[in-house]
Amino acid sequence: MLLFGVVGIYVLVKLGKKAARTARTAASRLTTHVNAMGPGDAAEVERLRIDLRREVSLTRQAVDQAHAQGWGLGELPQLMTELARQADVHDAQLAMYAQQRRVSPYVDHVTLDRLREHQAKLNAMCARIRADLLGNQVHHAASSLDDLHQRTELELESRRRAADPLDEIDELYRRTMQERPD
């Protein structure tokens, strides 16, 4: 009984730690969304953070979906991991800038411009990866569609009733008989 009690407490502690981590992450995201609603540079930076998270999430979903379908992705999954890591670094930099901007009006505007440039590069990389994957998906779908179309045409052609040579002979005889009296 004591052993079951110890195991139960251990499981509860693990679940509590996991719930606390999830709550911290949710609180952080909620705070970001609330701060993004305001005016000024700090709110703009928070909107950049939200945009970056969305871009990376969409790209990761596209790569995971392509991987699950068995496409040859090469180094793309590892590249996506590195891109996500770099996006996390950039997100931390944006968070630090936003926090400093909310506390003090004396913040370097050159840094904000550099952060915007980095954001644009990360977003462009994500967009290019998704565009490439979508292009591959459309190509795969088009080739499958062309194959299906050809097979359908062949099947429909094979199902058509072939012309009976005797019917053709009867038709020719009937025409000649009609043309004779003329």
Side-chain angles (χ1 to χ4, degrees):
M1 188 68 120
L2 183 62
L3 181 63
F4 286 125
V6 170
V7 170
I9 291 173
Y10 176 76
V11 169
L12 287 175
V13 168
K14 285 290 189 182
L15 286 174
K17 286 182 179 180
K18 186 174 181 177
R21 275 193 303 269
T22 305
R24 271 192 300 258
T25 303
S28 171
R29 289 184 183 218
L30 179 65
T31 303
T32 301
H33 282 280
V34 169
N35 289 337
M37 292 180 199
D41 288 342
E44 177 190 354
V45 170
E46 295 292 352
R47 287 189 291 273
L48 288 175
R49 291 180 69 198
I50 292 169
D51 185 45
L52 180 65
R53 286 180 189 159
R54 183 181 62 247
E55 290 290 324
V56 170
S57 176
L58 287 172
T59 306
R60 182 176 294 137
Q61 288 173 3
V63 169
D64 290 345
Q65 182 183 20
H67 185 67
Q69 292 177 356
W71 296 0
L73 297 178
E75 296 291 318
L76 199 56
Q78 291 83 11
L79 187 70
M80 186 62 216
T81 303
E82 291 177 31
L83 182 90
R85 223 179 284 129
Q86 186 61 40
D88 290 341
V89 169
H90 184 68
D91 183 59
Q93 292 169 349
L94 287 171
M96 189 182 332
Y97 182 88
Q99 181 182 12
Q100 290 175 3
R101 187 69 177 125
R102 279 191 298 274
V103 173
S104 172
Y106 306 108
V107 177
D108 184 15
H109 291 284
V110 174
T111 303
L112 179 58
D113 290 337
R114 289 180 57 205
L115 288 172
R116 285 182 185 139
E117 288 174 12
H118 292 169
Q119 175 87 12
K121 286 179 185 177
L122 287 169
N123 286 348
M125 283 187 279
C126 288
R128 288 190 64 204
I129 290 171
R130 286 194 316 272
D132 181 65
L133 290 174
L134 183 60
N136 285 344
Q137 184 180 19
V138 168
H139 175 71
H140 285 295
S143 63
S144 297
L145 189 61
D146 288 341
D147 181 47
L148 181 63
H149 177 71
Q150 289 173 355
R151 289 186 7 232
T152 302
E153 288 297 320
L154 287 172
E155 181 62 28
L156 292 177
E157 185 66 32
S158 70
R159 292 180 45 83
R160 287 189 185 134
R161 193 175 128 226
D164 188 11
L166 293 176
D167 288 342
E168 290 179 21
I169 292 172
D170 286 343
E171 179 67 26
L172 287 172
Y173 179 75
R174 191 177 47 81
R175 283 188 194 163
T176 57
M177 294 305 284
Q178 287 176 352
E179 292 173 3
R180 250 188 204 176
D182 294 338

